[in-house]
Amino acid sequence: MTNDEIKQQIAAALANGTLQPATIVLGDNVQHKIENVEPGGIGVQINHNHNYGEGAIPVPKENDYNAVREYVQLRLQKDEDFKHHWNPLKWSERAEYLTKIFGWLVDTHSLNTNFNRHR
């Protein structure tokens, strides 16, 4: 299946409401390349890390809380969904939320301390 055919199928899925993604990335610029999709099928991948595609924000390295703070600040500027989810959370909930996004354990105390240090 060519990229043009994939684009047409995605456009049709968007038009009829069966697909409502925040971002669509075509090609090999993805976290895990999907292989062996049946003819006529579409391989769909959900990337939660926001580190793929143009203008994306890279996931911070483990325990780099300066990079975590910068990541959050950029996401708050660029991503309204993230902003609405982030703002009402307590620091422990924020650390848990980021842990799910990053794939490594975000320490509540270190997160809070870094943000307070850079107000």
Side-chain angles (χ1 to χ4, degrees):
M1 181 175 280
T2 68
N3 271 353
D4 286 337
E5 291 170 326
I6 293 170
K7 289 176 187 177
Q8 289 172 350
Q9 286 191 5
I10 291 172
L14 289 169
N16 68 26
T18 57
L19 180 64
Q20 298 177 352
T23 304
I24 296 175
V25 179
L26 294 177
D28 294 336
N29 191 19
V30 294
Q31 185 176 15
H32 304 287
K33 187 174 178 183
I34 298 172
E35 302 285 346
N36 301 326
V37 177
E38 293 181 22
I42 297 177
V44 176
Q45 177 182 149
I46 308 297
N47 289 323
H48 297 285
N49 291 339
H50 298 274
N51 60 336
Y52 302 98
E54 187 176 327
I57 305 168
V59 171
K61 292 181 182 170
E62 190 168 353
N63 297 321
D64 184 350
Y65 287 92
N66 285 323
V68 170
R69 178 180 34 80
E70 292 168 3
Y71 171 93
V72 169
Q73 289 170 338
L74 283 171
R75 285 285 305 270
L76 289 171
Q77 291 174 6
K78 294 183 174 189
D79 186 342
E80 285 298 316
D81 291 334
F82 181 87
K83 185 177 183 177
H84 289 301
H85 188 79
W86 175 266
N87 286 337
L89 297 177
K90 298 175 185 174
W91 283 104
S92 60
E93 295 167 326
R94 289 174 173 176
E96 186 177 314
Y97 181 52
L98 293 175
T99 295
K100 290 177 185 175
I101 293 172
F102 299 159
W104 54 267
L105 181 63
V106 176
D107 178 70
T108 302
H109 177 74
S110 298
L111 179 68
N112 190 4
T113 300
N114 190 281
F115 270 79
N116 285 331
R117 189 179 309 136
H118 293 90
R119 284 187 173 195

